[in-house]
Amino acid sequence: MNPIIGSEVLYKMEKRRTLLLTFGHNLDHSNIHALVQDRLAKNKGGLQKDYFDPVLHKGAEVILNYRTIDTNFNRISDKYYLDDYHLTESQINGFQYSLQRLKGCHVFCEPRIRGHAYAVVKGIEFSFYVHRSLDGIDYLFPQYWEDANADQIVRRQLPKLPEHEQFLEMPAAISDAEKDEIKMSWILKLVEF
């Protein structure tokens, strides 16, 4: 989805930290794990006291956080999410290049802009993980284990949607009312599919 990062994208990243998000349905977790072990593990650092102004290891240019979200709820997600990898630009490029050969979308995101979104439809609260890409797109992924009624619907209905519709994608610059309308429409489609 994103090209190999260059100086202009690295410059747009947070001062010393960025988040790379891989998402999709039935991701190739074994090959992702092999890539993380081969390309990232040796550069793993300890937990930082200051998340947004961390101390970089010698020679590193940025800390990479990596997250996977698989829309198949029976697959493992978030295995690497809390790990800090101290990397150079070329190491990030190499890791992303290898990831692009695997199934899924791979997007650089703002580490400061992430969280949760909610919408209530027919008295049921639906939850989403939210991440914002460096180019200003919000990605919303259904979250489960939050509301028993919503969980049943999401688990049953989400696999019926085409893969490219199993998450929401919207410009961050639109109004909250427009975002709510998109969420509501998506949930209604999910419920009625």
Side-chain angles (χ1 to χ4, degrees):
M1 182 171 264
N2 279 353
I4 302 300
I5 67 169
S7 300
E8 69 282 351
V9 176
L10 188 62
Y11 176 76
K12 286 176 63 176
M13 292 181 186
E14 287 295 324
K15 179 180 171 190
R16 295 181 177 197
R17 182 180 296 277
T18 194
L19 170 67
L20 179 56
L21 175 66
T22 293
F23 61 91
H25 188 77
N26 288 327
L27 297 173
D28 186 353
H29 293 280
S30 61
N31 280 328
I32 289 172
H33 182 71
L35 281 175
V36 168
Q37 293 306 305
D38 182 54
R39 302 284 178 97
L40 302 181
K42 63 183 172 261
N43 297 303
K44 184 176 171 183
L47 197 60
Q48 299 275 326
K49 289 182 181 179
D50 187 342
Y51 181 82
F52 292 109
D53 193 19
V55 177
L56 293 169
H57 289 179
K58 185 177 181 180
E61 296 170 312
V62 68
I63 292 176
L64 176 73
N65 293 114
Y66 180 57
R67 183 175 193 180
T68 58
I69 297 179
D70 198 320
T71 59
N72 178 345
F73 299 127
N74 297 317
R75 305 291 301 258
I76 298 169
S77 289
D78 286 343
K79 190 170 183 178
Y80 318 101
Y81 190 46
L82 297 176
D83 296 335
D84 285 352
Y85 301 104
H86 296 249
L87 304 171
T88 64
E89 181 181 338
S90 63
Q91 288 171 317
I92 292 173
N93 285 340
F95 181 65
Q96 185 192 24
Y97 178 78
S98 297
L99 274 179
Q100 288 177 336
R101 295 171 178 225
L102 301 178
K103 184 177 181 184
C105 296
H106 314 286
V107 180
F108 281 97
C109 295
E110 302 277 354
R112 291 181 187 255
I113 304 174
R114 60 183 177 182
H116 300 276
Y118 304 92
V120 177
V121 175
K122 298 182 179 183
I124 301 173
E125 182 176 84
F126 292 83
S127 305
F128 299 89
Y129 296 112
V130 181
H131 287 283
R132 181 168 297 159
S133 69
L134 292 180
D135 56 354
I137 302 296
D138 284 348
Y139 293 92
L140 285 75
F141 305 92
Q143 182 179 359
Y144 51 98
W145 298 321
E146 293 296 316
D147 181 293
N149 295 318
D151 290 352
Q152 290 176 19
I153 294 168
V154 170
R155 283 182 173 273
R156 183 178 63 247
Q157 297 295 99
L158 192 68
K160 296 177 183 177
L161 293 176
E163 287 183 37
H164 68 279
E165 294 180 18
Q166 293 180 356
F167 61 93
L168 290 162
E169 183 177 344
M170 64 184 84
I174 63 176
S175 71
D176 288 342
E178 290 172 299
K179 289 179 184 180
D180 287 343
E181 186 177 320
I182 292 170
K183 285 187 291 191
M184 300 293 270
S185 296
W186 186 84
I187 292 169
L188 287 172
K189 179 178 181 178
L190 180 72
V191 169
E192 296 167 358
F193 196 82

